[in-house]
Amino acid sequence: MIYLDSAATTFQKPRTVASAMQEALMTMSSPGRGGHPAAMRAAETAFQCRSELAELFGLENPEQVVFTSNATHGLNIAIKSLVPPGGRVVVSGYEHNAVTRPLTALGARIAVAEAPLFDSDAVTAAFDRLIVPGTSAVVCNYVSNVFGFIQPVEQIAAICRARRVPFIIDASQSAGVLPLDMKRLGAAFAAMPGHKGLYGPQGTGVLLCGDGGTARPLLEGGTGSLSIQQEMPDFLPDRLEAGTHNMPGIAGLLAGVRYVRQRGLRDICDRERRLALLAAEGLRTLPGVQVFALPGLRDQAGVLSVVPKNRDVEAVGDALAEQGIAVRTGLHCAPLAHRSAGTLDTGTIRLSFSDFNTPEEVYRTLTVLRDLLG
């Protein structure tokens, strides 16, 4: 199979990920649930994972790294910690339902920083206009999951710092690909999955807490600490980690993070962008195909969307699957992004790359698409 759906989940993992998970199943119990070797081994693995993530993302204290089940879980914690019912929130025009649905459930007043696709200056200007007194929080994804648009989070963070408005970053598509320094940005939270660019397993996620004092539990329960107390502990990460940890997942995530750190963000990003650029240039030669990319993939990561004119994107995606090529079609859980780009009625075919894809896979995909669309 040619797998080009890494914006959903990186299917190909480093071999060390599966090995670490298997070892965890055989040797670890739960951290904080005893002083015996199985519990202590789990505690050490969890601490090592927090420590490496803290180093990767510019946090001084590993305790500011909270394990979640996915990015959506982390975003819900962040949003519901900062946004009161009916609060005013500014978001970009390219947000995922993991942001917009929790805000809608809160009855939040959502102001959308509308801007054309791949126009970073317009995005910054829109946020500058909308971040006004009375804003509860600002939420923006670093990279659009539909179009790969790298949004100007540093400029948005600077506006938020100057106006003392909490900033939440959705790093779902950027983690493991683009640098993110929580201390320098001054963000309140950044949420990310473990199963995408960090090459961990599904069921893992991370919430980085820049302002841990504002973090409120989404769940209450056992933490292995302060058991006599009936309120959740007032310290991180325990305050946000009720229940038993997913130790096979955390061990696998640690192996994935170590792969990313050894390989290097720059090299991974460069490889993904080269593959996406190769695909974009080839797709532009096909008749009747709209390719959402600027020349040289400026302001874009390794995620590429296309729309074939007069062809249903779902049907094309199914035909590719029959040829052993995995892509994602439709609205990608991000109708706001499609509304911004003018593809809400059609959806798109999304090709998204990882460090394990090859140019040969791109050439094969282009050949199949040429036959399907010619």
Side-chain angles (χ1 to χ4, degrees):
M1 177 175 61
I2 296 175
Y3 187 82
L4 303 178
D5 193 21
S6 291
T9 293
T10 48
F11 183 68
Q12 298 104 326
K13 312 285 188 184
R15 293 182 179 179
T16 52
V17 172
S19 297
M21 295 180 70
Q22 184 176 23
E23 183 179 0
L25 283 169
M26 296 187 296
T27 63
M28 298 179 200
S29 59
S30 297
R33 269 68 172 184
H36 51 81
M40 297 304 292
R41 189 181 184 96
E44 176 62 21
T45 299
F47 179 76
Q48 286 297 323
C49 192
R50 292 189 211 275
S51 297
E52 299 222 12
L53 285 162
E55 291 177 16
L56 182 60
F57 294 111
L59 289 173
E60 294 182 350
N61 191 336
E63 293 177 353
Q64 294 172 269
V65 176
V66 171
F67 294 125
T68 62
S69 58
N70 46 50
T72 299
H73 181 189
L75 286 166
N76 269 264
I77 293 173
I79 288 168
K80 291 170 184 177
S81 293
L82 295 174
V83 181
R88 184 179 187 276
V89 181
V90 183
V91 304
S92 84
Y94 298 91
E95 295 309 308
H96 191 278
N97 281 342
V99 168
T100 56
R101 283 181 172 174
L103 291 174
T104 299
L106 286 169
R109 293 171 289 131
I110 304 172
V112 179
E114 297 179 347
L117 187 59
F118 305 126
D119 191 336
S120 296
D121 290 341
V123 172
T124 302
F127 274 102
D128 191 28
R129 288 193 303 271
L130 292 173
I131 300 174
V132 297
T135 300
S136 300
V138 169
V139 189
C140 183
N141 58 35
Y142 197 161
V143 174
S144 164
N145 74 301
V146 180
F147 301 103
F149 178 23
I150 300 173
Q151 302 213 77
V153 295
E154 290 197 10
Q155 291 85 342
I156 298 165
I159 297 169
C160 289
R161 290 195 305 271
R163 299 176 191 177
R164 298 186 178 181
V165 175
F167 184 28
I168 301 170
I169 301 172
D170 178 358
S172 294
Q173 301 300 330
S174 65
V177 180
L178 296 173
L180 189 158
D181 189 322
M182 287 291 288
K183 183 177 181 180
R184 183 165 56 83
L185 291 173
F189 297 100
M192 62 194 67
H195 64 95
K196 297 186 183 182
L198 296 177
Y199 293 98
Q202 294 98 319
T204 60
V206 177
L207 180 65
L208 307 176
C209 300
D211 182 8
T214 63
R216 297 172 56 189
L218 195 63
L219 298 172
E220 289 82 23
T223 60
S225 58
L226 303 182
S227 294
I228 191 65
Q229 179 176 299
Q230 291 306 288
E231 297 79 23
M232 290 295 287
D234 62 358
F235 52 87
L236 292 177
D238 295 40
R239 184 162 77 246
L240 303 180
E241 290 185 356
T244 301
H245 290 79
N246 173 11
M247 283 314 304
I250 291 169
L253 177 58
L254 174 57
V257 170
R258 285 176 170 168
Y259 170 84
V260 168
R261 298 189 72 194
Q262 181 178 18
R263 181 81 170 86
L265 297 179
R266 184 186 296 273
D267 287 345
I268 292 174
C269 183
D270 286 349
R271 181 181 182 87
E272 292 184 7
R273 292 185 77 249
R274 285 197 303 269
L275 293 168
L277 179 59
L278 183 64
E281 291 174 342
L283 286 162
R284 285 198 176 99
T285 68
L286 303 184
V289 175
Q290 183 180 9
V291 181
F292 290 87
L294 294 178
L297 248 68
R298 190 169 71 251
D299 292 330
Q300 191 169 356
V303 179
L304 180 68
S305 265
V306 300
V307 176
K309 294 181 180 178
N310 303 318
R311 294 292 298 272
D312 178 70
V313 298
E314 302 281 0
V316 175
D318 290 344
L320 286 170
E322 291 176 1
Q323 296 290 323
I325 300 171
V327 299
R328 175 83 183 272
T329 60
L331 297 182
H332 315 93
C333 301
L336 183 57
H338 286 278
R339 185 176 296 115
S340 296
T343 55
L344 187 61
D345 292 336
T346 62
T348 64
I349 301 168
R350 184 186 69 188
L351 290 72
S352 52
F353 301 89
S354 82
D355 199 36
F356 290 89
N357 289 122
T358 65
E360 290 73 23
E361 291 176 327
V362 175
Y363 293 134
R364 170 60 181 161
T365 301
L366 291 171
T367 298
V368 172
L369 280 170
R370 190 173 290 112
D371 292 340
L372 289 174
L373 303 176

